[in-house]
Structure formats: structure tokens, C-alpha cells
């Protein structure tokens, strides 16, 4: 008989794609919650899933010791508040609360103790939390750095101060010290972003590239969302967080990269010659500044009238361009002397179900040169290129996130 594996495999995959697409369309919050609770899996990291959900109007709430469970959960929303989720299905208008499973340094056993103690009565303070949930200092520190103690002590510096305060164990453990509360200054946005990525691997309200935007504007870099307005052949510079690197065996050595800035994603085509010339940067840099030219199959979209800048987290309006991304593939294994961590499939922060505007095919940037953003170590190759300027203090702070971006 005929060899039926390809047909059966295609049919099974088609059913999975249809079911997933239906769930994501009609019950997006429930879909997000279930996929987050199934991590690690597939090509999509939590930051990818959450950012895509926020752009689709889902309210994602941060980890909180007064509300969170081990798994992410669904919560009701204010009925008086206008919802932005584009679904009229019954039960679709809900918010999602991040679970303790996302907090690095906090195990499921600690989460169970927190939930059990909270079921008896709400926590009154950080000391009350530590005592009744029997948290170790490092577990309390993880919660403070993740922003999970905001309802008990607003401000992460204040929460960290209280978790690090010396305590007398044993008989006098519950004795009040009588020390006055200290109001410490708020963390800078960059430092808070570092803590978000180090502890949770994501941020609900910020993106690393937003801290580079002023500098990138001076370097002539455009935003990813602006690529749809540029005609084919336009020379561009674009920067972003590297989401994945793909080298399909059938692509004759061509490497496909996906990068993301605070407005969206950009697909890059890197010829083998360019990739080999910038081998170390191309393989390992978490943030890239790319010089190349736009490739597209049709005319650019008409640019809308100028308006106030939209937050990168806010749901996109009907005129906001959205880019599609190609199916994700892992890059071919490299020699043992090359770093392997950066070659593992890395995760985009927008869903593959993201569709371009009608009549707008996927847009790519054919890369001509690469530079490492934030370190000043890239080598320009095209005439007239200027090296990346020396890193500022904010760059140095954000570079501490490098190991968490992959």
C-alpha cells in the first residue's frame, strides 16, 4: 500500500493547529494560562506568550503573595471596565494572574506553604509571611525581587530591606524589634527591568530596547514596526533582542534571525558569508544592531497620520502594523569549541499566529553587517558606518540581563 505517514502526520498537525487557533481566538486568556502552566515546552518562552497576549488586550497581572498560586490562574475583571479582548465568547473576558512557578529561586513546596498559610488568614506583613509560611531568607528575597510583595511593602527596595533585616531565631523570633520603617527611593526603571528578567524572565511593563531608543535614534536605527512603511531596497539599521537563530539544512547556509524591539519583531536574512564574518557576535550577542536592506514583494503600506506614541505593551490599533514570522527551526549543531547555549532555539515574543495586515506579505531585512548593541564591540563593514558608542551606565545595567534573554 501507499506510505501514509506524511498524510497522517499532516492531518494530525492540522487538527492541533485548528484547535489551538480556535482556543486562542475565542478564549485567549484561558489559552495563555494553559500554555504558561505547561512550560517549558515548544519554542515560546513565557515572555513571548505574555507580550503577545498583552498586545491582544489581555490583562496580565503580576505575581503576588496575596493572590498567586503555583500555576497561573484566571481572575475576574471589573464589569464596569471596558475590556479590550476581541472575543464575545462566554467567559472570555477574564484577566490572568502569573503564578509562583515563574519566580526563579522559589520552589513548589514554598508556594504550597504560602498558599496554605494565606488560606488561614491574609498576611499582615513581610514578617508575618516569613513566619507563617516558614520561608528561608533566599525565598523571601526571590519574592521581593520579583515584585511579589508589593501589597505588603510597596517598592522593591523597601521589600528587600525588610527581607534582609536580621532576625533572632528561636524563642525571640516573634518579638517585635520596634525599628522604624525606612522609606527608600524607588528603583530605576533599568534596575527594575533587570530584576524582572532575572527572577521571572519577563516584564509586564518594560522592554530592554526602550532604554536604548534615544541612542539608537542617533545611530539612524528605525523601529521594527516602521519596516512595513519602507519600500524594497531601502537601506536600514534596526536593533533588537535576539529571539531565535535558525539555520535550515536546505537553506544553503543562510541563517534566519528574529529580533524584537519595543514595537514588534523583524525577520533577518543573514548570508553565510556575513554570518561567518561576524561569527562570535552573530552567535552570542543578546542584543544586535543590524545594517541591511528591506526585502518585500509588494508596495509599502501608507504611513498613518502622526499621533501620540503608543506604549509597546498597549494593544495595537487597527492601523498599527503587525509582522508575521516564519516557522521556527533550530540551528544546525556546531563544533564542540563553539558556545552551544546561544544556538539552542530561542523564543520569539509574538505568536506565530500573528498575521500581517491584508495584502502585506512578510517583510525581511537582508543583513549586510552586525554589531553587538550595548558593548561597543561590533565591527562596521560598510563604508560610512560608525562604531557603536561606549556603553552608558544604563547599558552596563541592562547587559546583566544577557544570560536571561535566551
Amino acid at each position: 500500500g501507499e506510505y501514509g505517514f506524511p498524510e497522517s502526520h499532516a492531518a494530525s498537525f492540522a487538527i492541533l493547529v485548528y484547535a489551538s487557533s480556535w482556543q486562542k481566538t475565542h478564549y485567549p486568556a484561558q489559552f495563555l494560562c494553559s500554555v504558561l502552566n505547561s512550560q517549558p515546552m515548544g519554542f515560546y518562552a513565557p515572555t513571548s506568550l505574555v507580550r503577545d497576549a498583552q498586545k491582544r488586550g489581555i490583562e496580565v497581572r503580576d505575581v503576588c503573595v496575596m493572590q498567586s498560586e503555583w500555576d497561573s490562574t484566571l481572575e475576574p475583571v471589573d464589569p464596569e471596565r471596558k475590556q479590550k479582548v476581541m472575543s464575545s465568547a462566554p467567559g472570555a473576558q477574564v484577566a490572568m494572574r502569573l503564578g509562583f512557578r515563574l519566580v526563579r529561586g522559589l520552589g513548589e513546596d514554598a508556594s504550597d506553604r504560602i498558599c496554605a498559610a494565606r488560606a488561614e488568614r491574609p498576611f499582615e506583613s513581610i514578617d508575618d509571611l516569613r513566619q507563617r509560611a516558614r520561608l528561608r531568607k533566599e525565598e523571601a528575597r526571590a519574592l521581593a525581587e520579583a515584585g511579589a510583595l508589593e501589597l505588603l511593602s510597596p517598592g522593591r527596595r523597601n521589600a528587600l530591606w525588610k527581607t534582609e533585616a536580621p532576625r533572632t531565631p528561636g524563642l525571640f523570633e516573634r518579638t517585635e524589634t520596634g525599628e522604624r520603617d525606612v522609606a527608600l527611593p524607588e528603583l530605576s526603571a533599568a534596575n527594575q527591568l533587570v530584576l524582572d528578567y532575572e527572577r521571572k524572565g519577563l516584564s509586564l511593563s518594560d522592554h530592554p530596547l526602550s532604554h536604548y531608543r534615544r541612542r539608537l535614534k542617533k545611530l539612524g536605527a528605525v523601529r521594527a514596526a516602521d519596516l512595513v512603511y519602507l519600500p524594497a531596497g531601502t537601506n536600514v539599521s534596526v536593533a533588537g533582542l535576539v529571539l531565535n537563530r535558525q539555520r535550515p539544512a536546505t537553506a544553503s547556509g543562510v541563517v534566519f534571525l528574529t529580533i524584537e524591539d519595543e514595537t514588534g519583531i523583524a525577520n533577518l536574512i543573514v548570508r553565510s558569508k556575513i554570518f561567518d564574518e561576524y561569527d562570535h557576535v552573530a552567535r552570542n550577542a543578546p542584543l544586535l544592531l543590524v545594517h541591511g536592506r528591506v526585502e518585500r514583494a509588494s508596495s509599502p503600506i501608507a504611513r498613518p497620520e502622526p499621533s501620540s506614541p503608543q506604549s509597546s505593551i498597549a494593544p495595537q490599533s487597527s492601523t498599527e502594523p503587525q509582522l508575521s514570522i516564519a516557522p521556527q527551526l533550530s540551528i544546525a549543531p556546531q563544533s564542540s569549541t563553539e558556545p552551544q547555549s546561544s544556538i539552542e532555539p530561542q523564543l520569539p515574543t509574538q505568536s506565530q499566529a500573528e498575521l500581517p495586515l491584508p495584502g502585506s506579505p512578510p517583510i525581511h531585512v537582508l543583513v549586510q553587517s552586525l554589531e553587538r548593541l550595548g558593548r561597543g564591540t561590533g565591527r562596521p563593514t560598510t563604508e560610512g558606518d560608525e562604531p557603536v558608542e561606549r556603553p552608558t551606565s544604563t547599558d552596563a545595567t541592562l547587559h546583566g540581563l544577557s544570560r536571561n534573554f535566551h
Side-chain angles (χ1 to χ4, degrees):
E2 296 183 359
Y3 181 55
F5 174 78
E7 290 81 2
S8 61
H9 184 270
S12 299
F13 188 72
I15 292 173
L16 290 174
V17 170
Y18 176 81
S20 298
S21 300
W22 189 93
Q23 289 281 350
K24 187 174 182 180
T25 299
H26 297 288
Y27 294 95
Q30 289 85 343
F31 179 82
L32 169 67
C33 189
S34 62
V35 176
L36 281 180
N37 291 336
S38 301
Q39 295 294 312
M41 60 170 286
F43 289 101
Y44 298 103
T47 181
S48 312
L49 301 165
V50 168
R51 190 169 296 274
D52 175 70
Q54 288 179 311
K55 290 185 177 182
R56 296 174 183 276
I58 299 173
E59 180 184 354
V60 182
R61 298 171 179 172
D62 213 344
V63 181
C64 177
V65 292
M66 304 296 284
Q67 302 290 340
S68 292
E69 307 285 341
W70 172 248
D71 285 331
S72 296
T73 54
L74 300 174
E75 295 181 351
V77 295
D78 184 356
E80 301 297 326
R81 182 179 175 184
K82 184 179 179 180
Q83 298 302 308
K84 300 177 181 178
V85 177
M86 302 300 291
S87 174
S88 58
Q93 301 296 330
V94 292
M96 197 207 71
R97 173 75 64 178
L98 297 180
F100 289 126
R101 64 162 54 240
L102 292 176
V103 180
R104 294 168 182 156
L106 189 76
E108 188 171 2
D109 56 342
S111 170
D112 291 342
R113 295 197 302 271
I114 293 172
C115 295
R118 188 179 65 207
E120 297 175 359
R121 68 177 188 276
F123 300 117
E124 299 177 358
S125 65
I126 291 178
D127 283 341
D128 183 40
L129 166 68
R130 288 193 60 176
Q131 291 168 7
R132 293 202 288 125
R134 306 187 307 281
L135 295 180
R136 300 190 303 272
K137 178 176 285 190
E138 56 269 23
E139 293 170 336
R141 184 189 306 119
L143 290 168
E145 292 183 348
L149 304 180
E150 289 294 309
L151 291 184
L152 298 178
S153 180
R156 298 195 198 187
R157 265 205 180 105
N158 292 322
L160 280 168
W161 176 271
K162 293 178 180 179
T163 58
E164 296 294 332
R167 287 170 174 80
T168 304
L171 180 62
F172 299 102
E173 182 177 7
R174 297 179 181 271
T175 304
E176 294 290 338
T177 61
E179 292 184 2
R180 294 182 301 173
D181 287 338
V182 178
L184 299 173
E186 291 287 334
L187 285 174
S188 68
N191 284 326
Q192 185 159 309
L193 180 64
V194 169
L195 290 180
D196 279 335
Y197 271 88
E198 285 185 341
R199 284 300 180 183
K200 296 176 293 189
L202 58 87
S203 173
L204 296 182
S205 59
D206 203 356
H207 190 280
L209 265 292
S210 64
H211 296 268
Y212 287 104
R213 184 51 57 192
R214 179 180 300 178
R215 184 177 154 208
L216 289 170
K217 189 174 182 180
K218 293 180 180 178
L219 294 173
V222 302
R223 304 180 309 162
D226 293 331
L227 292 174
V228 294
Y229 305 125
L230 303 177
T234 303
N235 290 324
V236 295
S237 297
V238 63
L241 172 66
V242 180
L243 304 178
N244 57 66
R245 298 170 173 90
Q246 312 163 43
R247 176 174 269 171
T250 57
S252 303
V254 173
V255 179
F256 301 96
L257 276 71
T258 303
I259 62 174
E260 181 205 50
D261 65 13
E262 71 274 27
T263 68
I265 63 170
N267 301 304
L268 311 179
I269 300 175
V270 187
R271 303 297 186 192
S272 57
K273 178 181 178 181
I274 299 295
F275 190 85
D276 293 340
E277 182 177 356
Y278 295 92
D279 184 79
H280 182 71
V281 171
R283 292 180 186 277
N284 301 291
L287 296 170
L288 284 178
L289 176 62
V290 177
H291 308 285
R293 67 174 185 270
V294 175
E295 282 199 343
R296 60 186 309 145
S298 65
S299 301
I301 297 173
R303 187 181 294 272
E305 292 297 324
S307 60
S308 58
Q310 291 184 340
S311 165
S312 61
I313 300 300
Q316 294 180 339
S317 67
S318 59
T319 59
E320 181 70 20
Q322 298 179 1
L323 303 181
S324 65
I325 61 176
Q328 307 303 312
L329 303 172
S330 61
I331 201 164
Q334 306 299 315
S335 64
S336 59
T337 59
E338 293 292 344
Q340 296 299 313
S341 59
S342 63
I343 304 302
E344 293 300 321
Q346 298 169 33
L347 311 174
T349 59
Q350 280 189 300
S351 168
Q352 274 185 305
E354 193 82 41
L355 298 177
L357 294 176
S360 173
I363 298 165
H364 306 280
V365 174
L366 181 61
V367 176
Q368 296 168 340
S369 65
L370 298 164
E371 297 179 19
R372 182 192 298 271
L373 180 63
R375 294 298 298 276
T377 56
R379 295 183 294 115
T381 56
T382 57
E383 290 188 20
D385 281 347
E386 294 294 333
V388 177
E389 62 193 70
R390 284 191 172 277
T392 63
S393 58
T394 300
D395 297 335
T397 300
L398 291 173
H399 187 70
L401 293 170
S402 297
R403 66 182 181 278
N404 301 303
F405 282 159
H406 299 299

